[in-house]
Amino acid sequence: MTEKVGTIISTEDSPTSEKISFVLEKPVNKEQFVEYDTEEGTAIARVSRVKKSNIFYHNPESVSESAKNNIKLQEQFPTDEREQLVGEGRILGIYTSELIKRPSFPPSPGTDIRLADKERLRDFLGLDREGLNLGDIQFQDLEARINVTKLLQKHFAILAQSGAGKSYLASVMIEEILDRDEEKGNVGIVALDPHGEYAGFGKDKEYGDRVEVYRGRDIKIGLSNISSGKLAHYFPNVSTAQKREIVKIISEMRQNMRNGGGAYSLKDLERKVEEADMDKKTKRIWIDRINQMKSMDLFGLYDNPSFDKVEQGKMIVLDLSDIINYKKKQIIAAYFGDRLFKARMNGKIPPFLFLVEEAHNFAPENRSSDVALARSVITRIAREGRKFHASLGLISQRPVGLSTTALSQCNTHMILRVTNPNDLDRIKQSAEGVTSDVIRSISGLRVGEGIIVGEAVDYPAFVSIRQRNSEEFETGKNLEEAAAEYREKMEEEKDEIDAFM
Ligand SMILES: Nc1ncnc2c1ncn2[C@@H]1O[C@H](COP(=O)(O)OP(=O)(O)OP(=O)(O)O)[C@@H](O)[C@H]1O
Ligand SMILES: [Mg+2]
């Protein structure tokens, strides 16, 4: 039996079958779980409010009167003895050995309130002893171990404002997956990483052997894998007639390849277009596009990385931080997303997690599909991935800018601090179980604290994210550090010049 912390009291509006109030002997925190016994089983409630009350200070007239007369109530009366901590709680459910049900009766005033039992709470929240350990359930001596299937099968999103700890949480999750015992069932990870936030894993003492980082300049797309449909998608605004010409050329080249001719390059394609019998304007358009492709330095004979690099318990990082060209980043996301999904559909790679940082840039809500080239692939994985165990993890600091289709398919939301009202509204609309109460708590979260709602947990759970084991990769200095460093460098240079004079 856990420790008793209080006793249920009767107030004007409680107890009911939803709400209790209790006087506390030991302090508890808002959002902490407590329990009490009923005839139906053990009820679990979440503390929704803790307030102090003192009978000596109930009456405003007498308090103000004594203040006016300079009488200190503490000196006249044993006020301290009458200070009470009163908690309020929302009853979440009644736990019986087989099921969790809604309470049908209010508890009796006088019932003991205890801290929630760890084992019971684990079951109640739907946590899994064998799950990914993201930290602790706040104020509870209970690890937030999330069931892998519940988390990944129906996708998740990590949403928070900049600097709230999204990438940190994702890194903790990555560590858990990389460390997971293969026999328990594991996935491979592919991280789309526009700022190089996961590149550090490649050099990490602990995890480096299970992580391959591909820098933007080394990432290549095998041109022979690009169908004419994809080409027209990546380089849009061509007429049907112009498209027909390239379809002809590409199908011929692909046929030749299937007959043993080998993969072809951009130069080969250029030559074919040059030689082809097509009108001047069409030729110019395609040559122009081929030149655009050349300048991207992306299309080669073979894919790098090749999708068969996806392995259980390992991670591939596509580090796009050295790429400036927006379109190149979009094509990489669209192409590799599609490749992964198809390879998974054909059973060529294991179940995987496609982790997309800055997801609002790759699956934006309000941008034309000519620009947002990766959106259709991401929304497709979001809609159909579950059947094939192709999972998405979308990370974003701008939920408002993120595709509604993609976000609404993410059945688990991990929300860290968010204060922007539009983003809060969006989160409220897109995540089930996000009540106004939860929304209020989200803006009060500190770095390293989050709330998990949706499929992965049976009730919204506040989590203190654990410390990461891997070394944090420095992605940026703050402005003051950068300014100080610049000044130092200038002074050093000045000293060197002075030394010469
Ligand atoms: N759980 C945590 N424990 C300790 N430190 C943390 C935790 N979460 C985040 N931090 C610290 O907070 C800082 C910001 O975290 P992080 O880079 O993950 O934020 P972010 O939400 O990804 O920001 P951005 O949107 O700018 O990418 C980091 O320096 C990190 O060390
Ligand atoms: Mg980040």
Side-chain angles (χ1 to χ4, degrees):
M1 186 96 43
T2 52
E3 189 183 9
K4 181 186 172 199
V5 288
T7 308
I8 295 183
I9 55 173
S10 63
T11 66
E12 258 171 40
D13 59 353
S14 78
T16 65
S17 56
E18 285 104 42
K19 189 177 160 187
I20 45 171
S21 297
F22 39 91
V23 60
L24 283 161
E25 294 153 24
K26 304 235 163 79
V28 293
N29 290 289
K30 186 169 178 282
E31 310 301 351
Q32 192 163 352
F33 294 95
V34 292
E35 64 178 33
Y36 58 86
D37 292 329
T38 75
E39 277 174 18
E40 302 170 275
T42 304
I44 297 206
R46 192 203 286 278
V47 178
S48 52
R49 198 155 87 128
V50 181
K51 65 173 192 173
K52 270 189 181 167
S53 141
N54 192 324
I55 191 86
F56 287 108
Y57 295 94
H58 268 197
N59 185 338
E61 280 88 28
S62 61
V63 176
S64 96
E65 194 61 25
S66 33
K68 250 186 250 158
N69 297 327
N70 221 2
I71 299 170
K72 289 209 162 30
L73 284 177
Q74 303 80 312
E75 287 163 11
Q76 309 280 322
F77 302 103
T79 55
D80 289 357
E81 287 166 25
R82 301 304 293 270
E83 186 170 287
Q84 302 284 357
L85 259 187
V86 178
E88 282 174 17
R90 259 177 301 110
I91 305 168
L92 301 178
I94 299 213
Y95 186 93
T96 68
S97 52
E98 302 105 60
L99 74 164
I100 290 161
K101 54 180 201 164
R102 295 192 67 75
S104 33
F105 300 109
S108 300
T111 305
D112 286 354
I113 291 284
R114 304 186 303 264
L115 293 178
D117 173 73
K118 183 168 153 175
E119 304 294 321
R120 210 179 340 259
L121 190 60
R122 179 190 297 122
D123 258 18
F124 192 79
L125 293 175
L127 302 174
D128 176 1
R129 278 171 202 280
E130 309 275 304
L132 307 181
N133 177 16
L134 303 186
D136 285 325
I137 299 294
Q138 245 184 351
F139 314 121
Q140 229 73 45
D141 170 29
L142 176 62
E143 284 179 341
R145 285 190 174 269
I146 308 293
N147 177 272
V148 171
T149 300
K150 289 206 283 183
L151 175 68
L152 298 185
Q153 186 149 3
K154 295 191 192 164
H155 319 299
F156 68 85
I158 300 180
L159 307 172
Q161 67 196 39
S162 190
K166 298 181 294 299
S167 308
Y168 196 100
L169 168 57
S171 301
V172 166
M173 207 185 282
I174 290 168
E175 290 175 2
E176 289 289 316
I177 293 176
L178 297 181
D179 278 338
R180 189 172 166 80
D181 189 349
E182 223 167 272
E183 279 165 19
K184 291 181 191 158
N186 205 4
V187 297
I189 309 172
V190 178
L192 190 68
D193 183 14
H195 298 310
E197 286 173 289
Y198 304 99
F201 272 103
K203 293 186 220 142
D204 194 81
K205 282 197 265 342
E206 180 76 27
Y207 297 95
D209 59 335
R210 281 157 280 166
V211 178
E212 278 192 57
V213 179
Y214 292 82
R215 301 291 308 272
R217 65 173 103 91
D218 300 324
I219 296 173
K220 292 284 176 276
I221 293 177
L223 186 67
S224 332
N225 299 326
I226 303 260
S227 63
S228 29
K230 265 203 194 107
L231 198 66
H233 174 215
Y234 298 162
F235 297 90
N237 304 322
V238 285
S239 72
T240 321
Q242 288 160 347
K243 199 173 155 190
R244 211 177 298 129
E245 295 295 340
I246 207 78
V247 169
K248 242 192 302 182
I249 293 176
I250 288 187
S251 34
E252 245 173 55
M253 293 180 86
R254 290 186 130 189
Q255 187 61 44
N256 180 41
M257 183 173 68
R258 276 193 290 272
N259 293 341
Y264 51 86
S265 68
L266 207 49
K267 267 217 168 78
D268 298 327
L269 178 65
E270 187 179 25
R271 201 175 52 244
K272 288 279 180 202
V273 171
E274 295 279 15
E275 288 167 4
D277 179 22
M278 62 173 94
D279 76 66
K280 257 200 184 139
K281 191 170 164 222
T282 306
K283 195 171 275 190
R284 211 183 53 237
I285 282 194
W286 285 115
I287 292 294
D288 180 55
R289 268 138 215 267
I290 288 169
N291 284 335
Q292 267 187 56
M293 289 168 87
K294 274 189 190 159
S295 70
M296 277 184 191
D297 190 21
L298 174 63
F299 298 91
L301 281 177
Y302 306 105
D303 285 355
N304 189 41
S306 136
F307 65 75
D308 52 19
K309 293 266 181 195
V310 179
E311 282 180 63
Q312 280 158 295
K314 296 198 174 163
M315 172 162 76
I316 292 175
V317 179
L318 301 175
D319 173 2
L320 313 184
S321 59
D322 60 345
I323 302 178
I324 296 160
N325 187 321
Y326 174 83
K327 186 161 179 143
K328 181 171 174 178
K329 289 191 257 196
Q330 290 287 322
I331 293 178
I332 290 176
Y335 177 78
F336 284 98
D338 185 63
R339 270 310 248 185
L340 278 175
F341 187 45
K342 298 220 168 107
R344 180 58 209 146
M345 283 204 284
N346 299 329
K348 289 185 181 151
I349 56 171
F352 67 82
L353 165 64
F354 188 33
L355 199 60
V356 183
E357 267 279 356
E358 306 275 328
H360 51 276
N361 285 333
F362 294 106
E365 173 69 354
N366 286 321
R367 300 204 67 177
S368 134
S369 52
D370 286 356
V371 183
L373 300 176
R375 185 177 51 210
S376 56
V377 171
I378 291 174
T379 48
R380 178 155 187 220
I381 303 178
R383 275 187 276 104
E384 302 173 31
R386 117 166 64 139
K387 285 179 264 169
F388 304 101
H389 306 110
S391 311
L392 269 184
L394 302 181
I395 303 176
S396 175
Q397 71 262 27
R398 283 203 58 232
V400 169
L402 183 58
S403 150
T404 314
T405 320
L407 187 56
S408 65
Q409 297 291 330
C410 291
N411 282 258
T412 298
H413 282 51
M414 303 192 183
I415 308 161
L416 311 171
R417 183 179 167 83
V418 175
T419 50
N420 179 309
N422 296 332
D423 286 331
L424 284 170
D425 262 1
R426 184 59 188 279
I427 289 169
K428 197 170 173 195
Q429 287 155 16
S430 65
E432 261 176 58
V434 177
T435 56
S436 311
D437 222 27
V438 170
I439 287 287
R440 268 194 298 280
S441 306
I442 291 172
S443 46
L445 293 170
R446 285 167 303 180
V447 170
E449 294 177 341
I451 171 163
I452 305 181
V453 287
E455 189 77 15
V457 284
D458 294 344
Y459 291 90
F462 286 83
V463 175
S464 303
I465 308 302
R466 71 161 172 78
Q467 295 279 310
R468 56 189 286 183
N469 304 323
S470 51
E471 249 172 78
E472 201 169 347
F473 194 53
E474 202 181 319
T475 51
K477 305 178 184 69
N478 69 26
L479 185 138
E480 289 158 64
E481 283 163 356
E485 201 171 275
Y486 178 80
R487 186 164 169 268
E488 228 165 73
K489 193 170 134 227
M490 286 298 132
E491 271 176 10
E492 266 169 31
E493 278 177 20
K494 190 171 163 282
D495 286 348
E496 276 169 28
I497 294 168
D498 288 349
F500 262 116
M501 304 291 258

